[in-house]
Amino acid sequence: MKISQSVGAIAPGTTLPEPTIDRYEDAELPIHPPAVARTLAYCVAVLVLASLAGQAFKLTTGHDYAGGFIPKFNLDAEDNVPTFFSALLLVGAAGLLTIIGTLKKKAKDTFALHWFTLAALFLFLGTDEASSIHETLIMPLRTAFKAEGIFHYAWVIAAIPLVILFMVGFAKFFFHLPRRFRLLLGLAVGTYITGALGLELIGGWYAARNGLDNWGYVLLTTIEETLEMAGVVVLIYGLLEYLKQYAGQIRWSLHSTS
């Protein structure tokens, strides 16, 4: 952006005009859904490989820090690079869902509220990913239900009925979508739930029997986190394609309140 102002001979007491900003009326930021998905997938792959490398070093040498590399890139840890990236993915999906919801509301679409509800859900999931809210449920639920085995990570006891309610409540919304986007959404949500819930059940059973410091547990948690991130990447790709097909070109307009 260029700021320009004409300067010549200035008489004493003359007030200079405000600088003018050149305006770009047709500025565009093209977004290509396949390119976005590929970039995000590369980031996921790098994080997975970094985590596996750190865990391999830990399990073969007995050192669990390595200058901070291991905890910073451990997929099964909190408050680190993979956690931040996963949270960004979820919040990004929430943003796209909000845009679609806004467009649907403007068009008086029957399912506008469903899009906003999904946006709120993914915003919560992003917040939970960053702050581990669900982990605070483990000990109270484990104590209350005397949970063990696949319910070792007892937060899943609360999650399972919520997932069922979600599937029932959004069935009509899901089946109203065009076939292509129904498949993409189903793949995305199915992949995410398989990782977040399915692998958590298996991982809990395995951890209770064999502990955490072994290759079996490392591989289970790596698959779990990879499926979660992959599911959100597929969702973001599907939402971008949906916007491209049904909204076309989106223009942003900024208005002064003065």
Side-chain angles (χ1 to χ4, degrees):
M1 184 175 291
K2 299 179 292 183
I3 298 178
S4 59
Q5 179 177 347
S6 300
V7 179
I10 303 173
T14 300
T15 301
L16 291 175
E18 290 292 325
T20 60
I21 301 177
D22 293 342
R23 299 182 63 187
Y24 297 89
E25 299 290 348
D26 298 317
E28 292 184 359
L29 179 62
I31 297 175
H32 304 286
V36 172
R38 280 195 302 271
T39 301
L40 294 176
Y42 292 149
C43 292
V44 170
V46 169
L47 291 175
V48 169
L49 292 174
S51 178
L52 286 173
Q55 293 307 301
F57 183 84
K58 173 184 174 180
L59 293 175
T60 54
T61 67
H63 297 287
D64 61 359
Y65 194 68
F69 178 86
I70 294 175
K72 283 179 182 177
F73 288 94
N74 182 5
L75 287 175
D76 194 41
E78 307 296 337
D79 298 323
N80 60 10
V81 177
T83 299
F84 179 71
F85 179 75
S86 295
L88 280 181
L89 284 179
L90 291 162
V91 172
L96 291 173
L97 288 162
T98 301
I99 293 172
I100 295 174
T102 302
L103 294 173
K104 295 291 185 178
K105 181 181 178 182
K106 186 176 180 180
K108 301 187 185 309
D109 188 278
T110 305
F111 293 99
L113 182 60
H114 289 73
W115 291 102
F116 283 122
T117 303
L118 284 174
L121 172 62
F122 275 86
L123 181 60
F124 171 77
L125 290 174
T127 303
D128 177 63
E129 184 70 29
S131 56
S132 303
I133 298 171
H134 68 281
E135 304 249 347
T136 63
L137 300 175
I138 292 177
M139 290 310 298
L141 290 175
R142 185 182 292 168
T143 301
F145 291 95
K146 296 180 172 51
E148 56 185 17
I150 61 173
F151 297 112
H152 179 71
Y153 297 126
W155 68 268
V156 298
I157 296 172
I160 290 172
L162 291 175
V163 169
I164 294 172
L165 284 174
F166 168 80
M167 293 174 69
V168 172
F170 276 80
K172 188 175 181 181
F173 166 81
F174 177 75
F175 286 108
H176 102 282
L177 293 170
R179 183 175 182 275
R180 178 172 181 240
F181 298 107
R182 192 164 65 238
L183 291 174
L184 282 172
L185 180 60
L187 176 62
V189 174
T191 302
Y192 183 84
I193 292 177
T194 299
L197 198 55
L199 267 293
E200 186 83 341
L201 291 167
I202 298 172
W205 171 83
Y206 187 93
R209 291 172 62 92
N210 303 288
L212 310 181
D213 294 325
N214 55 75
W215 269 112
Y217 184 75
V218 167
L219 292 176
L220 283 172
T221 55
T222 299
I223 295 170
E224 174 187 336
E225 299 297 330
T226 303
L227 287 175
E228 288 183 30
M229 290 187 287
V232 185
V233 169
V234 173
L235 177 62
I236 288 173
Y237 168 72
L239 294 175
L240 288 173
E241 286 286 349
Y242 188 89
L243 278 169
K244 183 178 77 173
Q245 181 165 337
Y246 290 95
Q249 191 176 57
I250 298 175
R251 293 183 179 273
W252 301 93
S253 180
L254 300 178
H255 300 279
S256 174
T257 57
S258 58

